[in-house]
């Protein structure tokens, strides 16, 4: 009986530690002008175990969605996606021109120098979800990430 309890606890700790290994680096949100109602959020997300980014929330916007920019013929199109795959150990860039987060129906202007909290919703291979909270700095309107992002 004691061995079963220890095995259960060890298994629980392993599943929690896999979630703890979802990391976010280089996050930023593009600043807006006063009447603007939409902006983008960008970052690098990495998971130690296979997972999926399945949603995002923030109190700063009425809606936050995962989006993808992709070529369709000769035209670049943006579309909402239900999830972004996070392969084990490989960083996934959320950047202009690819996957990114759209913040829509903004409740206020995004001003350079402030920080906005985003909650990323990550789902592991077993279907368990975890919220990853990220404080994201707002960068100037003309800001673009360095070439490696």
């Amino acid at each position: 009986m004691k061995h079963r309890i220890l095995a259960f606890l060890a298994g629980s700790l392993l599943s929690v530690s896999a979630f703890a290994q979802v990391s976010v680096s280089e996050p930023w949100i593009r600043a807006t002008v006063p009447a603007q109602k939409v902006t983008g959020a960008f970052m690098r997300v990495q998971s130690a175990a296979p997972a999926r980014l399945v949603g995002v929330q923030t109190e700063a916007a009425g809606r936050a969605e995962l989006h993808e920019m992709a070529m369709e013929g000769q035209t670049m199109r943006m579309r909402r996606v239900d999830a972004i795959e996070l392969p084990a150990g490989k960083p996934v860039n959320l950047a202009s021109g690819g996957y990114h987060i759209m913040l829509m129906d903004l409740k206020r202007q995004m001003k350079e120098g402030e920080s906005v909290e985003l909650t990323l919703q990550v789902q592991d291979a077993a279907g368990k979800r975890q919220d990853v909270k990220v404080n994201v700095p707002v960068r100037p309107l003309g800001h673009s990430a360095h070439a490696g992002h």
Side-chain angles (χ1 to χ4, degrees), residues 3-80:
H3 291 300
R4 286 185 189 172
I5 292 172
L6 289 175
F8 172 76
L9 290 173
S12 297
L13 288 174
L14 286 174
S15 66
V16 169
S17 68
F19 268 140
Q21 294 179 12
V22 173
S23 63
V24 175
S25 59
E26 304 177 44
W28 64 283
I29 292 173
R30 190 175 317 272
T32 61
V33 296
Q36 189 175 333
K37 292 293 182 188
V38 176
T39 194
F42 312 97
M43 63 197 67
R44 182 174 291 146
V45 182
Q46 186 168 334
S47 177
R52 302 171 78 206
L53 179 59
V54 295
V56 62
Q57 295 177 331
T58 181
E59 290 186 12
R63 290 185 333 208
E65 297 179 350
L66 303 172
H67 279 229
E68 176 185 34
M69 295 287 292
M71 290 298 291
E72 289 182 10
Q74 299 294 318
T75 306
M76 181 69 90
R77 301 232 187 249
M78 181 172 64
R79 67 182 179 93
R80 183 179 182 275

Side-chain angles (χ1 to χ4, degrees), residues 105-134:
D105 301 326
L106 293 175
K107 296 179 180 178
R108 59 182 170 77
Q109 181 181 1
M110 299 287 109
K111 296 179 183 177
E112 177 185 354
E114 70 180 2
S115 215
V116 174
E117 186 175 283
L118 297 182
T119 301
L120 305 180
Q121 297 159 334
V122 179
Q123 181 175 311
D124 71 8
K128 293 181 184 175
R129 290 191 180 201
Q130 174 199 24
D131 287 344
V132 178
K133 294 193 182 297
V134 183

